[in-house]
Amino acid sequence: MQRSLSLCAVALLVLAGCASGPHTPADSAADLDANNVTRLDAALAGDWRSAENRARDIHRHPRETLSFFGVRPEHTVIEITPGSGAWYAEILAPYLRDNGRYIAAVVDPAVVAEGRGRDYQSGQRSGLQARFDAAPAQFDRARMVAYDPAAPRLGPSNSADVVLTFRNVHNWRGSGQAEGMFKAFYDVLRPGGVLGVVEHRAKADVPADDRSGYVGTAQVIALAQAAGFRVDGSSEVNANPKDTRDHPNGVWMLPPSNRHEPQDAAKYTAIGESDRMTLRFVKP
């Protein structure tokens, strides 16, 4: 019976990814009460957020996304590889500061081979720390945990309420690290804890070495279920029906990367950011 339920969940979510029109999720703030939504709105309106990050709210829908994941101010939240731009960190760290805890899980540069890879991870970590240091009133209680992608451990077992990952799964699949990362999510979450995943959504399954940046919805669900999670919901808040998902250079041709010829700028600006799945999983 459990196997049948899992297959049904996959089928329903894949069909949702095939929808051709825009969607406004009815549950955009259903998991937060009015007081918590007010606190989240205050974090979104904070003047510490960079203008560049704020301009992407129209594409990333942070209010609806975090509400769908049910992130409350008293939660311990681990965000996986937030990046030097601190996009969600600028929202989450202040929102959680007084009653919860924000933890940024970053790749430990020391475990990466010398060269461009280590330099990149060092830059991401130092850039994020600089962002924290520049606004102590918002980030003084935020902290980092460094992990080895080959053997990830994100903290003590059963210690987090929520783990969030935004547009990372394609990288882990390409490097053979996806299974280990999902296991680490499961281990660090308490029973009943939530794993929130936002990822570029392919039209169907793609090979592990696919370079488009897109991943099949069923493939993400399979990774989560193999780690022990159950599917708890999906939202179309980050869907973009304008994204044809067949760009020669993958998602990086779209904003914000814009890796396209200058004469194609209007075309890709009109499309906007990628079509994305938004999935919520729970540790039983």
Side-chain angles (χ1 to χ4, degrees), residues 142 198 234:
V198 177
S234 69

Side-chain angles (χ1 to χ4, degrees), residues 211-213 246-254 259-261 268:
R211 299 301 180 189
S212 71
D246 58 358
H247 319 295
N249 294 326
V251 298
W252 296 280
M253 297 191 79
L254 298 171
R259 298 179 189 172
H260 51 67
E261 297 298 326
Y268 288 104

Side-chain angles (χ1 to χ4, degrees), residues 63-89:
R63 181 182 190 269
E64 295 82 1
T65 299
L66 295 176
S67 295
F68 174 70
F69 291 146
V71 180
R72 300 198 302 270
E74 68 271 19
H75 280 159
T76 292
V77 177
I78 302 176
E79 182 186 2
I80 311 301
T81 59
S84 60
W87 203 93
Y88 262 105

Side-chain angles (χ1 to χ4, degrees), residues 11-161:
L12 287 171
L13 294 177
V14 171
L15 285 173
C18 295
S20 59
H23 300 267
T24 301
D27 57 357
S28 61
D31 292 328
L32 296 182
D33 62 28
N35 184 52
N36 290 340
V37 171
T38 298
R39 292 188 181 193
L40 180 55
D41 286 343
L44 289 167
D47 59 8
W48 58 84
R49 295 187 65 206
S50 71
E52 181 181 16
N53 284 352
R54 192 190 301 271
R56 295 182 65 198
D57 285 0
I58 192 173
H59 300 293
R60 300 195 68 175
H61 313 101
R63 181 182 190 269
E64 295 82 1
T65 299
L66 295 176
S67 295
F68 174 70
F69 291 146
V71 180
R72 300 198 302 270
E74 68 271 19
H75 280 159
T76 292
V77 177
I78 302 176
E79 182 186 2
I80 311 301
T81 59
S84 60
W87 203 93
Y88 262 105
E90 283 190 337
I91 302 165
L92 286 165
Y95 176 63
L96 300 166
R97 180 182 180 275
D98 292 339
N99 302 110
R101 175 177 290 184
Y102 172 79
I103 302 169
V106 299
V107 175
D108 184 355
V111 304
V112 181
E114 289 188 33
R116 293 178 60 186
R118 179 179 293 186
D119 292 344
Y120 174 80
Q121 298 299 345
S122 295
Q124 293 293 297
R125 183 174 182 174
S126 61
L128 183 62
Q129 186 63 59
R131 184 72 188 91
F132 289 173
D133 294 343
Q138 286 74 43
F139 297 104
D140 60 339
R141 297 179 185 175
R143 71 180 185 89
M144 292 190 203
V145 58
Y147 70 90
D148 179 354
R153 180 169 172 78
L154 305 173
S157 298
N158 307 316
S159 62
D161 298 294

Side-chain angles (χ1 to χ4, degrees), residues 201 203 210-214 240 242-255 259-260 267-268 271-275:
R201 179 166 51 189
K203 295 178 181 179
D210 179 80
R211 299 301 180 189
S212 71
Y214 295 95
N240 179 5
K242 295 180 181 179
D243 181 11
T244 56
R245 297 172 283 189
D246 58 358
H247 319 295
N249 294 326
V251 298
W252 296 280
M253 297 191 79
L254 298 171
R259 298 179 189 172
H260 51 67
K267 169 186 174 181
Y268 288 104
I271 294 173
E273 297 195 14
S274 66
D275 177 69

